[in-house]
Amino acid sequence: MEIKITITSAEDVAQAKKVFVALAGEVEQVAVEAPKQAKPKATAKTKTAPKKAAKPVLTIEEVQERVDELDAKGLEKEIISMFRDHFKSRLSELKPSQYPEVLERLALIEKIAEDDAAYEETEKAVDEAPTKAELEAKFKELLDEHRERLRELLTKFEAQKLSNLDASQYAAFYEELEAI
């Protein structure tokens, strides 16, 4: 009886020999052949998978440069908190594999700071906007001498009367009133 099996390592040979002994008794001869590797067929439409681009290796100097940029923007406290609370160590003590995460967190800190600055600017503009009472007082002051111009101004702001004016337009409307 002849049995052929393909074996890929020396350990497989020893294991196969044990199996044959258990099944058939003493094995007289075991022929070992190296496995034949199938050659890929050459075709006109051979598709090759795109190679994954290797991620560039970051250096501590590059990360430190980014930290310095944000530090110059006044974000020192946030950066210190990030290293203390999240990484529980300093940049110099981190592994290079952690540098991409550091950069991601620094970008997040910068984005939050920008959003906060935009919010504060909006709040400041709202605080500086004239009140409805101030607007009405200025409007009444000009009403007798500039009635037609005030109507045009209301039309420009798409309001039939002063009470229909949206609060977000108070500052711009007041500026127009002062220009009259």
Side-chain angles (χ1 to χ4, degrees), residues 107-127:
L108 184 60
I109 288 171
E110 183 177 36
K111 175 73 173 133
I112 290 170
E114 288 171 357
D115 290 349
D116 286 349
Y119 176 78
E120 288 173 9
E121 188 174 308
T122 303
E123 285 295 311
K124 183 179 177 184
V126 169
D127 290 344

Side-chain angles (χ1 to χ4, degrees), residues 139 142 147-159 165 172-178 180:
F139 192 85
L142 298 170
R147 186 173 299 272
E148 190 56 38
R149 178 69 181 110
L150 293 175
R151 279 190 192 137
E152 291 172 7
L153 192 56
L154 285 170
T155 304
K156 178 181 175 181
F157 282 84
E158 299 177 358
L165 191 64
F173 193 84
Y174 195 83
E175 285 180 26
E176 295 277 345
L177 289 176
E178 287 185 326
I180 293 178

